[in-house]
Amino acid sequence: MEKYRYFNRDISWLSFNGRVLQEAADESVPLMERIRFLSIYSSNLDEFYRVRMPYLQKKEIIDKNENAFSKAGLIIDRQQDEFGRILRDSIIPSLTKLGVNFCYKNGIPEDISGIANNYFFAQVAGFLQPVFLEKNTSFFPENNQLYLAVILKFPPDDEQVALVNVPAGNLSRFLKVTIEGQDYIIFLEDIIKRNLKSLFPEAISIESFNIKVTRDAELDIMDEDGDDIAEKFEKQLSKRDFGFATRLLYEPGLSLRHLQKLISFFDLKTASVVQGGRYHNLKDLASLPVSPPAETYPKWPAVQGMEGVNESRSLFDAILDRDLMVHAPYQSYDTILRFFNEAAINPQVEEIYTTMYRVAHDSKIAFALISAAKNGKKVTVLVELKARFDEANNIRWAKKMKSAGVKIVHSVNALKVHAKLALVKRKNPTCPYLGLLATGNLNEGTARFYTDHILLTAHQPMLTEAETLFRFLSKKKKPDSSDIIAFQHLLVAQFNLQAKFLQLIDREIANVKNGLAAGITIKLNNLEEEVLVNKLYEASNAGIIIRLIVRSVCRIVPGVKGQSENITVKRIVDRYLEHGRVFIFHNNGQPEVYMGSADWMNRNIYRRIEVCFPIYSETLKTKMMEIIELQWQDTEQAVMIDSELNNVTLKGTGNGIRSQEAIYTLLSDDVPELKVI
């Protein structure tokens, strides 16, 4: 195999988070949206420390030549400095001009100190539980929770260290006080700091510093089956917040002596010790108690309805007429809810199958499935317990559905089911199946801000394969050599997905070698898996123009002579999170379009059940290609990734296309009588 260059996946991910930070810095973005991007950056970074930093740290210890952990730390330090600059020099002055005084590092103004003190005694004090760090103390900080490390001196010469919790999970992180038309926003921890004397009245000296400990998010679940698997997951979830510590974050000014005491007391010798800013958990900026309407994105109400679907006609009848596609969040998710609701009450429906990877907190889909079971239909739901950070909610819904008579299936630990599909089986011998196949989770909550594509179809051969897959998944086993399912339409990881994509790329290579037209356009969240990456390099060297839109991790290095001269990589960050996976192969002017749940990562290819599917409708295929073309032409919110992993702006290089706005207009025009002006 040829020796190619690859970006490190984690450094690539940090490049994506840096792109998020660029949006926060962009003064053309509405102010409250810039604050939201700061929140997203902070939340992303916390997850990086929980999920990726433990791996990088172990790898650097094992492999002395590996420097990704150290390099990641340097990148994060630079980004954190930029975060502070944006907040301090741009966001806060802009808020002040709007009459919003964000009390950031400057303490609580004296003219509102009385209100803050009263709030402390009336609302905050009852949640505080100071803990002295003494030899017999077994206390350990909760994961990602805020604490004050308080240095106390008592007469005659006694020094003690205590931790005081900041109850941001019980109270708002911010207190807003309005006086004479001016708003003052105060951090909860600053209110506590101001009143520490009430907690430690005998202390003659009090210093306090914000700290937090971040822990590894990995769950230790054995590969076992049985009805109690959900119970075992629950037990592991209760231990997650006491797992391996990956980071101690502390406020500047904490002395080395006291820092070492914290490290020793909590046995944090292997954790990253990071000096942050004064305030931590700035993901809470998303809940800043102010939202001037003029400082947010203009509303884009979801487009209601589509051709052939109306209130007086069954959605199922419309699907039988022709394939339909919902492009969330531009178009209303009500069509998807209606699919499940009609299935729940339609007397012709006998069976319903669906996967649920991240269940909405108040899932209308789950309620419809419960109703379907109570209405006498056979309902089978594969609920993936291993959807990171959604495990508890998924377990809760699995229990609720099971108690209503829904058959609940959980995948084995060695294999996640990440596919997004649903199947309805009716009392109709000639056309029994109606189906739904999607690029994103069946979750009406995330559908408001994730861009995804959902196909509604009555294509019987494809849906027959979907039923075959559901029956296999119900066996709760990992595929082996004895499990031969000859999928002809669906691309299913563990069966034929990787091989089919390699075949499709090889066809483009053969076409260009035979003097025929060829081209590849792919949109993904993450691009990592080396077999497929190497095949793209091979296609580039054959002369094929390859266009990649990759939101986050991208290991392919574009624009390298003799390797990737014909590959261009772009990244789009805007008001919605780009989430759909789309694969377009030119095929000498007869394009084939696939969509689905699978990124090209090791986990998706080798450790998950993923489903991609072809678009057979020429109308839908044309529309999907038009949407992707708008994204490729984006010069406002897209950046180009260069051979050094930099986010290179495209503003001023084209016709000023902002793809998400253009897609919204395009889909609004499809239903002119409902178009929002």
Side-chain angles (χ1 to χ4, degrees):
M1 183 178 291
E2 293 187 55
K3 186 71 173 178
Y4 290 128
R5 274 186 64 198
Y6 304 96
F7 286 133
N8 177 278
R9 59 156 289 171
D10 297 295
I11 304 305
S12 176
W13 187 92
L14 290 173
S15 172
F16 158 66
N17 214 25
R19 174 68 187 93
V20 173
L21 206 54
Q22 284 182 335
E23 283 300 286
D26 187 347
E27 295 190 359
S28 69
V29 175
L31 178 61
M32 299 311 297
E33 305 298 344
R34 295 174 64 199
I35 293 171
R36 182 174 66 89
F37 279 114
L38 287 179
S39 169
I40 292 169
Y41 171 87
S42 182
S43 178
N44 286 348
L45 187 58
D46 271 347
E47 184 171 338
F48 186 80
Y49 267 100
R50 295 190 69 185
V51 176
R52 294 305 305 172
M53 276 305 228
Y55 168 80
L56 291 178
Q57 189 173 24
K58 292 172 188 173
K59 188 168 173 47
E60 184 160 296
I61 292 170
I62 294 169
D63 184 356
K64 301 299 183 183
N65 296 320
E66 176 65 46
N67 66 350
F69 176 78
S70 301
K71 188 174 181 180
L74 292 173
I75 293 171
I76 291 168
D77 286 345
R78 290 198 299 269
Q79 290 180 350
Q80 290 284 67
D81 288 343
E82 175 67 359
F83 185 105
R85 185 200 65 77
I86 295 167
L87 185 58
R88 180 185 63 251
D89 298 342
S90 184
I91 300 294
I92 292 175
S94 297
L95 285 170
T96 302
K97 290 178 182 178
L98 295 172
V100 178
N101 302 281
F102 192 24
C103 302
Y104 183 81
K105 293 188 177 181
N106 296 325
I108 301 173
E110 283 302 319
D111 54 350
I112 61 171
S113 61
I115 297 173
N117 292 345
N118 182 65
Y119 181 77
F120 172 83
F121 288 108
Q123 301 292 334
V124 181
F127 290 104
L128 302 183
Q129 300 154 7
V131 176
F132 286 94
L133 304 189
E134 300 170 336
K135 287 184 178 180
N136 61 348
T137 303
S138 60
F139 172 81
F140 199 96
E142 292 185 40
N143 177 55
N144 265 352
Q145 299 303 305
L146 300 172
Y147 292 89
L148 299 179
V150 185
I151 317 301
L152 301 159
K153 291 184 179 178
F154 297 93
D157 193 25
D158 178 29
E159 181 182 87
Q160 294 189 49
V161 178
L163 248 59
V164 177
N165 60 305
V166 178
N170 307 101
L171 299 167
S172 171
R173 180 75 184 280
F174 307 103
L175 172 67
K176 181 170 80 170
V177 177
T178 303
I179 297 179
E180 296 179 353
Q182 292 286 308
D183 289 337
Y184 295 85
I185 309 295
I186 310 168
F187 280 92
L188 179 59
E189 52 265 52
D190 284 343
I191 296 172
I192 298 171
K193 283 186 175 188
R194 186 180 180 88
N195 288 276
L196 286 173
K197 188 66 176 175
S198 299
L199 290 177
F200 308 104
E202 297 179 5
I204 58 174
S205 172
I206 301 176
E207 288 185 286
S208 63
F209 303 89
N210 294 315
I211 70 163
K212 80 168 182 177
V213 174
T214 302
R215 297 176 173 280
D216 188 349
E218 196 62 41
L219 295 176
D220 183 20
I221 304 293
M222 299 300 290
D223 193 7
E224 50 192 316
D225 198 3
D227 293 336
D228 60 347
I229 186 68
E231 181 179 339
K232 292 173 182 175
F233 255 90
E234 284 188 287
K235 289 180 179 178
Q236 284 296 319
L237 284 172
S238 68
K239 298 176 183 178
R240 171 184 271 168
D241 284 343
F242 300 93
F244 174 73
T246 61
R247 175 179 61 168
L248 169 63
L249 189 63
Y250 67 95
E251 178 182 345
L254 181 64
S255 72
L256 181 60
R257 177 168 64 88
H258 292 118
L259 178 62
Q260 289 297 334
K261 180 167 185 174
L262 292 174
I263 293 170
S264 176
F265 190 89
F266 295 122
D267 193 20
L268 299 174
K269 298 179 184 64
T270 59
S272 297
V273 178
V274 180
Q275 177 178 286
R278 174 168 177 172
Y279 303 103
H280 309 143
N281 278 10
L282 288 178
K283 60 187 178 184
D284 291 340
L285 287 171
S287 62
L288 202 68
V290 56
S291 184
E295 299 298 331
T296 59
Y297 286 132
K299 297 297 183 185
W300 290 354
V303 177
Q304 300 291 326
M306 59 179 62
E307 185 181 347
V309 179
N310 57 62
E311 67 281 355
S312 62
R313 187 181 186 221
S314 166
L315 174 63
F316 286 2
D317 288 341
I319 298 171
L320 289 167
D321 282 350
R322 62 185 178 92
D323 286 358
L324 305 173
M325 189 175 292
V326 174
H327 304 280
Y330 307 104
Q331 293 175 313
S332 172
Y333 205 72
D334 285 354
T335 302
I336 307 306
L337 299 180
R338 183 172 172 178
F339 178 88
F340 287 96
N341 290 343
E342 286 196 21
I345 63 172
N346 191 315
Q348 293 299 308
V349 172
E350 296 180 299
E351 299 179 46
I352 304 171
Y353 300 84
T354 191
T355 58
M356 301 191 82
Y357 187 75
R358 296 190 189 276
V359 188
H361 181 73
D362 191 24
S363 175
K364 292 182 175 65
I365 293 174
F367 277 120
L369 296 169
I370 288 171
S371 295
K374 290 187 174 182
N375 291 340
K377 304 176 193 310
K378 180 181 176 182
V379 182
T380 302
V381 180
L382 195 146
V383 180
E384 180 51 73
L385 297 184
K386 299 180 290 296
R388 184 180 282 131
F389 305 129
D390 278 297
E391 300 97 338
N393 185 57
N394 285 7
I395 289 170
R396 176 176 67 90
W397 272 111
K399 287 180 176 180
K400 188 176 291 190
M401 287 188 286
K402 185 176 180 179
S403 67
V406 174
K407 179 182 177 182
I408 298 296
V409 179
H410 301 303
S411 65
V412 295
N413 184 49
L415 194 71
K416 276 188 181 182
V417 176
H418 191 249
K420 326 294 186 185
L421 67 160
L423 179 69
V424 168
K425 192 171 183 179
R426 305 177 305 142
K427 301 173 186 175
N428 187 316
T430 59
C431 191
Y433 300 114
L434 295 169
L436 178 158
L437 303 99
T439 66
N441 299 310
L442 303 180
N443 181 317
E444 63 269 29
T446 56
R448 295 196 304 271
F449 49 90
Y450 281 32
T451 68
D452 275 306
H453 314 283
I454 307 102
L455 174 69
L456 302 168
T457 184
H459 190 282
Q460 297 304 293
M462 189 191 304
L463 297 178
T464 300
E465 293 183 358
E467 183 180 33
T468 301
L469 178 59
F470 274 115
R471 294 197 186 284
F472 171 80
L473 294 176
S474 294
K475 297 177 183 178
K476 294 190 281 189
K477 60 171 292 197
K478 188 173 182 178
D480 56 35
S481 57
S482 65
D483 298 305
I484 300 173
I485 302 176
F487 292 106
Q488 300 298 315
H489 302 276
L490 297 180
L491 280 56
V492 183
Q494 313 304 308
F495 293 94
N496 68 334
L497 183 141
Q498 185 190 56
K500 180 63 175 180
F501 278 131
L502 292 171
Q503 177 190 331
L504 289 165
I505 299 171
D506 277 333
R507 186 182 62 190
E508 297 300 313
I509 294 173
N511 281 346
V512 79
K513 287 181 177 179
N514 291 322
L516 302 176
I520 298 171
T521 300
I522 296 174
K523 180 187 175 188
L524 292 163
N525 297 324
N526 301 291
L527 175 58
E528 172 194 31
E529 197 275 326
E530 284 194 14
V531 174
L532 289 162
V533 166
N534 288 341
K535 183 59 69 172
L536 290 176
Y537 282 148
E538 181 185 340
S540 171
N541 287 333
I544 297 172
I545 300 299
I546 300 171
R547 309 187 306 177
L548 303 175
I549 302 173
V550 185
R551 187 192 78 207
S552 185
V553 172
C554 179
R555 293 201 65 204
I556 208 162
V557 183
V560 176
K561 187 174 182 179
Q563 171 176 305
S564 54
E565 293 171 83
N566 294 308
I567 298 177
T568 306
V569 183
K570 293 185 178 181
R571 169 182 285 149
I572 297 171
V573 173
D574 201 350
R575 68 158 67 188
Y576 299 138
L577 181 74
E578 293 294 339
H579 192 252
R581 293 92 168 179
V582 183
F583 312 86
I584 303 173
F585 301 91
H586 187 279
N587 192 29
N588 192 32
Q590 300 296 318
E592 291 192 15
V593 177
Y594 290 82
M595 299 161 59
S597 63
D599 287 316
W600 284 3
M601 299 189 77
N602 293 326
R603 67 190 186 194
N604 303 91
I605 302 300
Y606 302 116
R607 300 191 298 276
R608 292 183 175 185
I609 293 289
E610 304 277 4
V611 173
C612 290
F613 48 93
I615 305 302
Y616 290 133
S617 162
E618 291 300 323
T619 300
L620 296 184
K621 186 188 298 185
T622 299
K623 182 66 66 178
M624 196 66 247
M625 292 171 64
E626 192 173 356
I627 287 172
I628 295 299
E629 191 60 31
L630 285 171
Q631 295 191 315
W632 188 254
Q633 298 300 329
D634 192 318
T635 55
E636 295 300 300
Q637 299 302 129
V639 296
M640 190 159 60
I641 308 303
D642 69 12
S643 60
E644 300 301 321
L645 202 52
N646 298 308
N647 294 299
V648 180
T649 184
L650 296 172
K651 289 188 177 181
T653 63
N655 296 322
I657 293 176
R658 180 183 178 188
S659 60
Q660 290 190 356
E661 183 176 37
I663 292 166
Y664 180 65
T665 301
L666 174 71
L667 297 173
S668 298
D669 287 341
D670 284 347
V671 191
E673 68 275 14
L674 297 175
K675 183 178 178 182
V676 179
I677 305 299

